[in-house]
Every structure is written in C-alpha cells, then in structure tokens.
Amino acid sequence: MITGGCSGWLRQEFRDLELLDEITRLRFLSQLGPDINGHCRNTLIGQFRTWKGLNYVPENLHPTIKWSAQHPNPLEVDVQDIPWKIVNRKENLNSNLKIKASDSFTAAKGSVPLLYKNITSTSAKRKADDQNGIHAMKKLKTFHISNRNAIKRKNENGSDRPMKKQKMTNFDEDDTPPGTQWDGNNYSCAYDALFTILYNIWATKPKKWKKIFQESNQYLFTLHDGFQKHLRGVSTLEAAHDSVRTLLHENDPILFPSGHTGCSVSALATQMFYPVNKVPQLHLKCSHCNHTIMINSNRVGRLMHVAHSATGSISQILENHMRHQSQQVCGNCNAPLESTIYFSETHKIYAVDITDRNVTLSRTVKIQGSVRATTLHLKGLVYYGGYHFTCRIVDESGNIWFHDGMTTGRISIKDGKFGSVSQPNLKECRNKQLCLVIYGHRS
C-alpha cells in the first residue's frame, strides 16, 4: 500500500497499466477497433486514446489517478522501436568524425538528448553500439556523393588532371527509408503518406529534383527547401510538410483544414503536382493528315483520375488517355480528329487516382514526348481506410517499404519486393485500400 504519495512518473505508470487492462478486456470481448493494432505499449495506448478520446477514463479507475478535462492526462509522444540491423561490412571511420544523431531516437524522460555522436574507430569489427552511427554515416554519404561524372581539377603544376570518378552511393537493400511522424493535434496522415513518398524520390538525386520541384509551383518549391534543411540536419521532415501545409491552408482552408480534420490525398496531390511556374505544351495531332495543334494549357496537370468504366492496367489506361478520338474535326482535312497528346517536355512525376477502381498496377508507364516517350517507374502507393492514410514506398531496387506516421513513425518497415507480392496484396494493405499511385523518373 502506498501511504506517502508517489511521483508523477509512477502515477503515469499506474494509469498506463489501467489502460492496458481496458484494452485487453475490450479485445477479449471483441469490442476493440481493428485499427488498435500497435505492437509496442506506447503505440497501442496512443491508438486506443486517439480512438476513445483523451478524456476517456476506464470505469473502475481509482479516484487518485483519474484524469479529466480540468486535470488532463496528455497523450505521450509515440516512441518508435529502433530496428535491429547486423552490420557485416567493414568501414573505416575517422576518429574525430561527428555525425547527426538519428531522428528516430527520442531522449529518455529527464535526460538531455544527444545531438551529435563521436565515432571512434577501435577495430575492424565494431560493437553493436556503433551500428546506428554507421547507418547514419551511410545516409550522409548517399546524399552528398551524388555526381556520377568525372570531375577535373588543377594539380599543383597547373595542368588538368581528371580525378577518379566519384562513386554514387545508393541505398542498400537494408537501408530504411525515412518518413514523417503523425501529428495527432493537426491530423497529418495525407501529408505523411504523400510527402514520405516524395522525399524518397527526391533523396535519390537532390540536385536533379531540385530543378524539377522549383520549376513546378510554390508548394513543391517550399517542400524542396524543407527537404534540403532536413538533409543538412538543421530541421525535420515534419517541419518541411508543416511549411507546405501552412501555405495550402492559407490558400484554401476548406480543402486543407487544420485540427482534427484531415484532407483528401487526391486533392493534395492535385495541388502539389499542378504546373504553375512552367506550363507544359499540349499537342493535338490528326492521325489522317498529321496536322498538329499546339496548346499552352494550364489545365494539364500531373494527376489522372481513372474513369469508373476503365479496365486493364494503369499503363494501358494512361496510353488510351494520351491517344483517343476527339469530338472535333481536323481544321486541315475535316476528318474526325483522332488526337495524340504529347508534351514538348515530359513529366518527371505523375500520379494516378484509382480510388474504388478495378485496375491492374503497372511497374512502369510512358509519357509521350515530341520525339520519344519517357518511362516513369512506380515509386509509391497510398492507401486509405478508417479515416487514415498510409503508404508504401518502392525503391529503385524494387523493394517495398510500409510507412504509417501513426504506427511506424519516422521509419518504414520492409514489406516485400515488387514482383513477389501479388496484385491483390498490392491493392490492399493492412485493411486499407489503394487509392493513389505515384510514378517518377528513375534517377
């Protein structure tokens, strides 16, 4: 029996145990929602309290540890498990090298967070404590060593001597793609899903995607700046998507609300991919006389809504969309205008809304240019169900990674490989249905 009071942390421990008892009771009675599926204690409690409301109190809770609106029990930050990783390759690290601590770590209560970690090379075989530092080091190398071309420099005698070609370090198959943490105060799952995919496209070659993002619109321009700050270690991915969300809310508070109201990921993709700074040219070509009409159209976006009647693969549907018979006649030969749509500069990123559509996923699609077609590769899948969005990332090796800002936080978990996962399992993920497909240019 406790007679002299207890600390705040001990009181919180008793509250958590009572909540876990309540979760166990409801699960036994089959009254627990399907989304309450966390494998960690804090994740499970967070999901349960989000579902029931922060002021929900189990019926038999002792009065001394009850909470209310006047004496709240705030929701704790979701602390994600750090995945185990076996390092089986040798790497040489400088003894005085400093690296940024991983954003996946959360400081223990009452302690000071470690912002930088000194890595000291002690032997060829490192202890387990060094593994996270090595992992962070590899990611820094991935982004900073990005030039495939040989670079020339002047030697001491003034002559041009080509340097050795710098090696492009890509993500290894076991490298975990980063993501953003869900914001329970301002529901962020649509932003988490889409921006996690966009970051992992952008991170393969930041210099290339910088130009593409900056030439699109203010939203991608702002997102690129946030990604750059995260890459330099001066900000977070959550700050990057918050800055874009603020802009979207200011321009359209109805479509992009704040607080406990989410937005449509399709509406978000429409705004993010809408060309403003550089409007593509649309060409209509008569298949009879090859007469061509060029249109500077700001109605040409980078998101296609698949029709209800459409069947087949996404690649076939997109090809039919780009080549179809118009209701107009050719001004040159008066024949029915069978138009071919192509662009003087093809898209490097394209989204397809397939909500409630029975279509087959394609690994690649082609966007027709004035000379040749550009091939875009599957980069991401967004799922919806239970008023929540999640996503899968497809990396350049075909590995599939699952991310949910609510349950996986700032990390992703491996979910198979494209080609080994069946179409039904690609179109459904953890009781959620596929709604948006993202294609991008290979770096």
Side-chain angles (χ1 to χ4, degrees):
M1 179 180 293
I2 300 175
T3 58
C6 64
S7 68
W9 299 125
L10 184 56
R11 185 171 60 252
Q12 185 62 44
E13 177 70 11
F14 288 150
R15 287 174 170 177
D16 287 352
L17 290 174
E18 291 290 342
L19 286 169
L20 289 170
D21 284 346
E22 180 70 356
I23 292 169
T24 303
R25 184 183 72 84
L26 292 176
R27 176 164 290 167
F28 176 77
L29 297 173
S30 299
Q31 296 177 3
L32 200 64
D35 292 332
I36 315 303
N37 55 9
H39 64 282
C40 301
R41 172 172 134 164
N42 66 313
T43 301
L44 189 62
I45 292 175
Q47 291 173 344
F48 180 77
R49 297 195 65 203
T50 301
W51 176 52
K52 282 288 192 180
L54 297 185
N55 292 329
Y56 173 79
V57 177
E59 184 177 354
N60 297 320
L61 194 70
H62 194 276
T64 57
I65 57 174
K66 277 188 177 180
W67 61 90
S68 63
Q70 291 74 30
H71 301 283
N73 177 19
L75 189 65
E76 290 186 296
V77 176
D78 193 357
V79 181
Q80 303 300 325
D81 281 348
I82 304 304
W84 286 88
K85 180 177 178 181
I86 298 174
V87 177
N88 54 15
R89 59 174 62 87
K90 295 180 180 180
E91 295 182 26
N92 295 322
L93 297 175
N94 295 329
S95 58
N96 294 323
L97 183 64
K98 277 189 175 182
I99 64 171
K100 185 94 166 45
S102 170
D103 287 338
S104 298
F105 291 98
T106 302
K109 294 174 181 177
S111 66
V112 179
L114 177 64
L115 297 180
Y116 291 91
K117 179 179 180 181
N118 286 319
I119 304 296
T120 305
S121 180
T122 56
S123 64
K125 293 184 178 179
R126 293 172 178 81
K127 295 181 180 179
D129 290 342
D130 294 330
Q131 291 178 7
N132 291 310
I134 295 168
H135 184 66
M137 181 61 185
K138 284 167 61 183
K139 287 199 173 183
L140 288 176
K141 289 172 68 179
T142 298
F143 296 123
H144 288 291
I145 306 176
S146 59
N147 189 2
R148 291 179 180 271
N149 301 321
I151 302 172
K152 291 186 176 182
R153 68 177 181 183
K154 294 279 187 179
N155 62 17
E156 294 179 355
N157 297 326
S159 61
D160 288 337
R161 178 171 59 88
M163 291 177 62
K164 291 182 179 178
K165 186 179 288 188
Q166 292 190 1
K167 182 180 179 182
M168 177 67 180
T169 308
N170 291 318
F171 284 115
D172 290 340
E173 289 200 1
D174 292 330
D175 281 334
T176 303
T180 58
Q181 183 97 27
W182 181 68
D183 184 350
N185 295 320
N186 293 285
Y187 288 172
S188 64
C189 57
Y191 304 90
D192 296 332
L194 183 60
F195 291 2
T196 291
I197 293 170
L198 289 180
Y199 179 78
N200 285 282
I201 293 174
W202 176 92
T204 57
K205 208 167 189 180
K207 287 185 178 179
K208 167 188 170 177
W209 288 102
K210 172 184 177 181
K211 183 175 184 293
I212 295 169
F213 277 31
Q214 289 183 339
E215 289 179 349
S216 296
N217 54 52
Q218 61 173 331
Y219 304 124
L220 282 179
F221 188 101
T222 303
L223 191 62
H224 161 77
D225 285 347
F227 287 170
Q228 282 279 29
K229 290 177 182 177
H230 171 73
L231 183 62
R232 295 198 302 268
V234 298
S235 187
T236 64
L237 287 179
E238 290 80 12
H241 84 38
D242 285 347
S243 60
V244 177
R245 184 174 184 173
T246 300
L247 278 177
L248 289 163
H249 178 74
E250 289 173 353
N251 292 335
D252 194 335
I254 304 300
L255 271 182
F256 305 102
S258 58
H260 288 190
T261 305
C263 75
S264 160
V265 77
S266 180
L268 178 61
T270 299
Q271 291 298 319
M272 293 303 300
F273 298 152
Y274 197 82
V276 175
N277 299 339
K278 193 170 185 180
V279 179
Q281 293 176 338
L282 173 67
H283 298 262
L284 304 179
K285 183 177 180 181
C286 177
S287 60
H288 289 79
C289 67
N290 290 328
H291 179 64
T292 302
I293 304 170
M294 183 180 71
I295 303 172
N296 287 319
S297 174
N298 61 0
R299 293 176 296 174
V300 182
R302 299 191 189 108
L303 183 142
M304 179 183 72
H305 296 273
V306 173
H308 278 281
S309 58
T311 57
S313 69
I314 292 178
S315 178
Q316 293 168 340
I317 293 168
L318 183 58
E319 185 178 350
N320 293 336
H321 173 70
M322 296 298 181
R323 184 189 298 270
H324 63 278
Q325 185 168 333
S326 169
Q327 299 296 321
Q328 302 176 355
V329 296
C330 177
N332 188 50
C333 68
N334 291 323
L337 188 63
E338 293 182 358
S339 60
T340 300
I341 302 173
Y342 61 91
F343 304 94
S344 54
E345 184 171 336
T346 54
H347 302 316
K348 298 299 186 294
I349 194 165
Y350 201 81
V352 184
D353 185 342
I354 63 168
T355 305
D356 297 326
R357 304 297 191 269
N358 185 22
V359 299
T360 304
L361 280 174
S362 301
R363 179 70 189 274
T364 61
V365 297
K366 290 186 177 180
I367 305 292
Q368 186 61 48
S370 56
V371 178
R372 61 181 178 273
T374 297
T375 299
L376 303 182
H377 297 257
L378 181 62
K379 295 292 186 179
L381 307 165
V382 180
Y383 299 85
Y384 178 75
Y387 201 64
H388 187 63
F389 291 101
T390 61
C391 74
R392 277 170 165 163
I393 304 153
V394 183
D395 66 23
E396 302 215 338
S397 298
N399 298 308
I400 300 172
W401 303 85
F402 171 73
H403 176 263
D404 177 0
M406 184 182 289
T407 59
T408 68
R410 291 175 172 171
I411 63 171
S412 305
I413 58 176
K414 201 164 185 181
D415 225 11
K417 198 169 181 110
F418 195 91
S420 62
V421 181
S422 67
Q423 283 282 336
N425 287 333
L426 284 172
K427 292 195 287 186
E428 183 178 350
C429 179
R430 293 161 175 81
N431 298 320
K432 292 177 172 53
Q433 301 301 315
L434 181 61
C435 61
L436 191 71
V437 185
I438 310 294
Y439 290 92
H441 197 255
R442 176 159 285 182
S443 299

